[in-house]
Amino acid sequence: MERITGFVSRPVDLLGMSNRQTFDVLGLGYTKSPFRNDLLLGRAFYDIRFDAPTPSAVTVPDGPLRFMLAEVKDPTMNMTDPAAKAQAIKDQWAGYEGVERKAMLALYGDIGYDLGNALDPKNPFRGSGLSGTQNGFSPEGTLGRDGVPVPNGAELWRTLPNGEREFMAVYEKPNPKAPGTWLLTDAAVQPGMLDGIAPRPTAGVGATMREND
């Protein structure tokens, strides 16, 4: 748990949402989603909450949508075969070289990385700046492909199937160059709360969980 990567900063308040609602609004129903079994079995969901290092660190990953709206012509956008349409869009992007490609990257951010994921039907990433399934949608942000270190003071929360939220742990890492430690709350050390992860008792702090656990 030392580093958070990918599209992780979704500014949606999960407080009071059932696991079904959380599942839908965060778009967790994608192909081969590991969260399906959690939902069916009534398991809790866990999330880590922390403030972004700076407001500018969070960006909206909508480059693929803006690219397709501005650069891809109607004959391609109107193609009825999804696979052929996706390939035509990728071929158009592959045709940009040199100065032209640099100009496109300046306009559409991580389009070179994001476009293929947005066009992959098996990938949950949409490339539109929104996440969600069915009738629930939430804004989507990213902290970048390389991620950011989990900061000192980050919080681990547990959402029960009925939407009740429990504060489970706080991340302690006063020295950026040293391993961090998750300090568990009383709620977290109850049997089964962390799905079989055994906390390590530590004098003076109750229980801890190392970041590599």
Side-chain angles (χ1 to χ4, degrees):
M1 290 185 177
E2 180 182 354
R3 185 169 290 272
I4 297 292
T5 59
F7 302 96
V8 298
S9 181
R10 295 188 170 94
V12 57
D13 189 355
L14 302 179
L15 185 63
M17 293 175 58
S18 69
N19 278 8
R20 174 78 257 181
Q21 292 170 317
T22 301
F23 183 89
D24 288 339
V25 79
L26 295 184
L28 302 180
Y30 53 89
T31 303
K32 296 183 179 180
S33 165
F35 298 99
R36 290 184 185 276
N37 286 339
D38 291 337
L39 186 68
L40 291 173
L41 296 175
R43 294 172 178 162
F45 285 134
Y46 293 88
D47 62 277
I48 297 174
R49 300 175 70 96
F50 59 89
D51 293 331
T54 64
S56 61
V58 180
T59 58
V60 178
D62 61 353
L65 176 63
R66 292 189 293 107
F67 170 77
M68 286 186 279
L69 291 175
E71 309 295 342
V72 181
K73 304 303 181 184
D74 286 344
T76 298
M77 294 301 292
N78 293 333
M79 295 174 69
T80 57
D81 183 337
K85 178 179 176 180
Q87 188 59 53
I89 295 172
K90 287 189 283 188
D91 288 345
Q92 178 175 331
W93 169 253
Y96 296 121
E97 297 179 351
V99 174
E100 192 174 26
R101 178 174 284 257
K102 288 182 179 180
M104 289 294 174
L105 290 172
L107 285 172
Y108 304 113
D110 272 348
I111 179 70
Y113 174 81
D114 290 344
L115 184 63
N117 291 324
L119 295 173
D120 182 354
K122 297 181 180 180
N123 193 311
F125 174 60
R126 297 174 175 220
S128 65
L130 291 174
S131 172
T133 57
Q134 298 180 6
N135 294 323
F137 296 92
S138 65
E140 184 176 47
T142 176
L143 293 174
R145 280 185 285 147
D146 296 329
V148 297
V150 177
N152 184 49
E155 299 174 349
L156 176 66
W157 286 80
R158 177 178 187 260
T159 303
L160 300 175
N162 65 1
E164 182 181 349
R165 299 268 291 166
E166 294 182 331
F167 178 42
M168 304 300 288
V170 63
Y171 190 61
E172 186 176 80
K173 190 171 184 176
N175 183 351
K177 297 182 179 180
T181 300
W182 285 99
L183 305 180
L184 307 184
T185 66
D186 290 341
V189 298
Q190 300 301 315
M193 285 295 182
L194 289 175
D195 297 330
I197 299 176
R200 292 170 169 76
T202 302
V205 296
T208 67
M209 188 170 61
R210 296 179 308 185
E211 64 185 359
N212 292 328
D213 293 341

